[in-house]
Amino acid sequence: YGDLGDHNKALEFKQKALKIWEKVLPENHPFIASSCSNIAFTLVKLGQFEKALPYIQRAVTIGARSLPEGHPHTENYRKGMKIIEHCCKLQEMGIEFRNPFL
């Protein structure tokens, strides 16, 4: 759905997937981190930076606990978190900007 531009529908299914992973996997499993990251970036595409932040923060935390030091996924989560935090600040300040993920 995301590739088709229907980010709301994509978000719905990504949230359902996260609920399934949370039921069947340990809380610090890398699949949960990946799922949280996917949700975060779908929210970013919808311009919902504040809602995206807790998801990407959770991905960073899980990645740091479950993946080897310096793992590319964790590093990507960290980079994404910095960008999302920056976008949140710009939005809070009322500064108009182009969403970097569109």
Side-chain angles (χ1 to χ4, degrees):
Y1 287 102
D3 288 344
L4 296 172
D6 191 346
H7 300 296
N8 286 307
K9 195 69 160 173
L11 178 62
E12 177 187 335
F13 282 102
K14 289 175 184 182
Q15 288 172 326
K16 286 179 182 181
L18 176 59
K19 286 181 183 181
I20 293 168
W21 287 134
E22 290 172 330
K23 286 181 183 179
V24 299
L25 296 171
E27 65 183 29
N28 285 322
H29 196 282
F31 286 4
I32 293 176
S34 178
S35 189
C36 287
S37 176
N38 290 337
I39 291 170
F41 287 106
T42 300
L43 286 165
V44 164
K45 287 180 180 178
L46 291 167
Q48 299 177 17
F49 304 106
E50 290 290 332
K51 288 183 180 180
L53 197 53
Y55 286 102
I56 197 65
Q57 289 169 333
R58 186 174 177 202
V60 168
T61 300
I62 293 171
R65 290 181 183 161
S66 64
L67 298 169
E69 181 73 28
H71 192 282
H73 290 172
T74 305
E75 295 306 311
N76 286 336
Y77 301 153
R78 285 188 177 117
K79 288 175 188 174
M81 186 171 73
K82 286 180 183 181
I83 294 168
I84 292 170
E85 287 172 337
H86 184 70
C87 291
C88 286
K89 287 177 186 174
L90 292 173
Q91 210 170 38
E92 286 173 15
M93 293 168 35
I95 297 172
E96 290 193 33
F97 63 97
R98 183 181 174 282
N99 185 332
F101 297 95
L102 294 179

